[in-house]
């Protein structure tokens, strides 16, 4: 839904503006890079999500390609082995890191923007939401990167 409405909103904004773009464009220093590049970041995240679904969700939910183990009579997937096998491949690990960087940049803009859309932002809270969103985005990103680097280099 987010992808659909993001695309719809972009199309409506472009139609409303006609041939004239915002005068400030990329010269505005106050506007974050992520805010001006949501489309590129969105495509990066879509690619990341597609690879993630193919590498993890499909083997675990559809093809049962992940190793499994029986514990207490219940068959369980060995998700750790699946993650390890995927991220030991340097190409996949690097793509995973790039995808997580795109996600972090997207979230730095999207976090505060969501609160602004909901009307929960003003001159004081906008700064707070920006800081909270940036910290949140980079903590999530570092979590992804640590996992990828660990499996790529140390396992």
């Amino acid at each position: 839904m987010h992808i659909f409405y993001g695309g719809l909103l972009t199309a409506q904004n472009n139609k409303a503006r006609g041939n004239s773009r915002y005068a400030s464009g990329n010269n505005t220093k106050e506007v974050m890079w992520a805010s001006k590049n949501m489309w590129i970041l969105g495509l990066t995240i879509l690619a990341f999500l597609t690879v993630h679904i193919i590498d993890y969700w499909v083997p675990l939910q559809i093809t049962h390609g992940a190793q499994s183990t029986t514990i207490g009579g219940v068959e369980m997937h060995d998700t750790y082995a699946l993650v390890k096998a995927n991220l030991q491949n340097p190409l996949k690990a690097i793509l995973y890191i790039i995808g997580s960087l795109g996600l972090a940049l997207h979230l730095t803009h999207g976090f505060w923007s969501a609160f602004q859309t909901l009307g929960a932002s003003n001159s004081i809270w906008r700064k707070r939401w920006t800081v909270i969103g940036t910290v949140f985005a980079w903590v999530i990103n570092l979590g992804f990167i640590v996992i990828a680097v660990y499996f790529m280099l140390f396992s």
Side-chain angles (χ1 to χ4, degrees), residues 12-86:
Q12 288 173 345
N13 287 342
N14 288 338
K15 183 178 179 184
R17 269 190 244 115
N19 291 333
S20 60
R21 295 279 182 196
Y22 289 120
S24 59
N26 287 328
N27 297 327
T28 307
K29 293 179 182 176
E30 296 82 29
V31 177
M32 295 170 22
W33 182 88
S35 300
K36 295 184 269 187
N37 293 286
M38 282 289 106
W39 185 244
I40 293 167
L41 293 172
L43 290 175
T44 303
I45 294 166
L46 182 60
F48 176 61
L49 182 60
T50 301
V51 169
H52 195 80
I53 287 171
I54 290 168
D55 283 348
Y56 300 105
W57 190 80
V58 169
L60 290 170
Q61 302 299 324
I62 297 178
T63 63
H64 302 290
Q67 296 176 347
S68 61
T69 248
T70 303
I71 299 175
V74 177
E75 184 177 344
M76 300 195 179
H77 296 291
D78 189 348
T79 308
Y80 179 86
L82 180 62
V83 172
K84 180 179 178 180
N86 276 317

Side-chain angles (χ1 to χ4, degrees), residues 73-107:
V74 177
E75 184 177 344
M76 300 195 179
H77 296 291
D78 189 348
T79 308
Y80 179 86
L82 180 62
V83 172
K84 180 179 178 180
N86 276 317
L87 295 178
Q88 282 180 326
N89 176 338
L91 179 61
K92 283 190 179 186
I94 289 168
L95 289 174
Y96 200 78
I97 290 168
I98 291 169
S100 70
L101 288 169
L103 177 62
L105 290 170
H106 194 78
L107 286 174

